[in-house]
Amino acid sequence: MSNALVQSEFNFPGQKEVYHGKVRDVYSFDNDLLVMVASDRISAFDVVLPKGIPYKGQVLNEIASYFLDATADIVPNWKVATPDPIVSAGLKATPLKVEMVIRGYLSGHAWRTYRTGERLICGVTMPEGLSENDPFPTPIITPTTKADQGMHDEDISREAILETGLVSEKDYLQLEDYTRKLFSKGQEMARERGLILVDTKYEFGKDSQGNIVLIDEIHTPDSSRYFYLEGYQQRQDQGETQKQLSKEFVRQWLIENGFSGKDGETIPEMSEKFVISISERYIELFEKITGKTFHKANTTAIEDRVLKNVTSFLENQ
């Protein structure tokens, strides 16, 4: 099995500090420059699983780069360059303390809420009479708080966001507008590739000039759920499970093996076969959503490769 980069501890020239997130490590430099390394770690239920997934970081980084470039006319974003297959570099922004989740279909967390009989999610009323994976009449925005490291994101309503001052009303209305436009573009691009963009989340920040910019990744399998368009309606009509490309299958596997992120639960053992299957799913999504062939980067010495490529990029700044 190919190597996986589970942890990065680089010491780049001019580096000031590093922040280790759940799956990304962000290195900061002078002049508001950031270097984001997409590791091969995988998380579910806000818990990092014990094994890395080969090529996952490359898949996420290259999909995110693809969509950031494709949506730059909708909202400015942080990215400047991709000096390595698992690295993006860009300008620092101060993150806003909410994540903008938008859902076009009754799936995942929304469905788990709905099937309990609850019809309210993040202050938004979901219609009666829906089945799992049915489309909403119009996409709904269900924000979450942006949790500090080690904490869980929490559902929150628009009203609570404004009441607590997490985001100003002016900024929040802009976030909603950007979110709907980005989702519409993502759905359009997915449909062209025979996919349905079911739901996703966006993170925003403010640059040094106070402008709202899109940060982090977008439309990747870590932040989004995709169904195959072909056969979707037939599967719905027959009450069958949708064929999907997302991280949901990992969550389902964990749930089936007794883990849903609750205290006291033990993460099940991940076999090499299961790890490879996850890697293959990520590569499949890359090729399906971009229409490009995935070229596996050389993983024999990942750290050396990244250090060389990022150092070369920094020297030319």
Side-chain angles (χ1 to χ4, degrees):
M1 187 165 63
S2 299
N3 293 329
L5 182 70
V6 176
Q7 192 68 31
S8 78
E9 294 293 349
F10 294 107
N11 186 16
F12 298 119
Q15 174 183 322
K16 292 198 301 184
E17 58 186 8
V18 59
Y19 165 77
H20 296 289
K22 279 184 288 209
V23 298
R24 288 171 191 73
D25 301 322
V26 183
Y27 296 81
S28 61
F29 301 81
D30 290 327
N31 303 322
D32 287 333
L33 185 67
L34 295 178
V35 167
M36 182 184 290
V37 178
S39 77
D40 293 319
R41 298 190 295 273
I42 185 169
S43 70
F45 301 113
D46 289 325
V47 174
V48 177
L49 303 186
K51 291 186 179 180
I53 308 300
Y55 305 110
K56 174 180 175 286
Q58 182 183 349
V59 166
L60 294 191
N61 191 59
E62 293 186 353
I63 291 178
S65 180
Y66 172 78
F67 280 110
L68 286 171
D69 290 345
T71 58
D73 60 332
I74 296 174
V75 53
N77 63 65
W78 76 287
K79 196 194 87 165
V80 171
T82 51
D84 182 88
I86 66 167
V87 177
S88 289
L91 298 177
K92 182 179 181 180
T94 302
L96 296 173
K97 293 185 180 295
V98 295
E99 290 186 356
M100 300 299 288
V101 180
I102 183 166
R103 305 176 184 277
Y105 294 74
L106 181 60
S107 302
H109 171 55
W111 166 246
R112 289 190 284 271
T113 299
Y114 193 91
R115 71 183 180 187
T116 67
E118 181 63 56
R119 293 294 179 268
L120 199 66
I121 182 171
C122 301
V124 179
T125 300
M126 296 181 285
E128 293 288 350
L130 296 182
S131 299
E132 183 178 11
N133 300 327
D134 276 349
F136 289 115
T138 57
I140 63 172
I141 293 178
T142 59
T144 67
T145 56
K146 180 59 180 167
D148 294 328
Q149 190 172 13
M151 303 293 287
H152 289 278
D153 297 342
E154 299 287 346
D155 287 353
I156 189 170
S157 66
R158 173 204 270 201
E159 292 72 23
I161 289 171
L162 299 182
E163 286 173 7
T164 56
L166 283 176
V167 179
S168 72
E169 183 173 10
K170 177 184 176 182
D171 285 346
Y172 187 78
L173 291 175
Q174 182 66 80
L175 294 183
E176 283 199 338
D177 182 60
Y178 279 151
T179 296
R180 292 193 183 280
K181 288 176 179 175
L182 288 167
F183 190 59
S184 177
K185 179 67 172 180
Q187 286 192 310
E188 175 190 326
M189 294 178 72
R191 188 167 287 271
E192 289 172 355
R193 300 297 312 154
L195 295 173
I196 297 170
L197 177 58
V198 176
D199 52 43
T200 192
K201 69 179 180 69
Y202 303 112
E203 296 186 45
F204 298 91
K206 285 195 173 183
D207 64 16
S208 59
Q209 307 302 312
N211 301 309
I212 294 176
V213 296
L214 183 62
I215 60 176
D216 203 37
E217 64 177 19
I218 66 166
H219 299 166
T220 73
D222 267 22
S223 65
S224 313
R225 190 188 325 269
Y226 290 90
F227 291 157
Y228 281 89
L229 179 59
E230 183 178 359
Y232 162 79
Q233 194 56 56
Q234 181 180 355
R235 285 186 283 272
Q236 282 302 100
D237 293 343
Q238 296 177 358
E240 297 175 355
T241 300
Q242 286 298 328
K243 184 180 179 185
Q244 63 175 289
L245 283 171
S246 73
K247 204 168 61 173
E248 184 66 17
F249 79 97
V250 178
R251 298 188 191 97
Q252 289 298 330
W253 179 84
L254 289 168
I255 291 171
E256 290 166 6
N257 286 273
F259 183 81
S260 58
K262 297 176 182 176
D263 291 341
E265 294 179 342
T266 301
I267 300 173
E269 177 65 25
M270 298 169 65
S271 68
E272 181 173 327
K273 181 179 180 181
F274 184 59
V275 168
I276 291 173
S277 75
I278 300 174
S279 179
E280 290 172 346
R281 288 264 194 131
Y282 272 85
I283 291 171
E284 180 185 1
L285 177 55
F286 172 89
E287 296 188 334
K288 187 65 180 174
I289 192 60
T290 66
K292 301 177 181 179
T293 300
F294 183 75
H295 299 287
K296 295 179 178 179
N298 189 333
T299 60
T300 54
I302 303 175
E303 291 90 343
D304 292 344
R305 187 198 77 208
V306 171
L307 181 60
K308 177 182 177 182
N309 288 338
V310 174
T311 299
S312 176
F313 165 76
L314 293 170
E315 289 173 348
N316 289 301
Q317 293 304 295

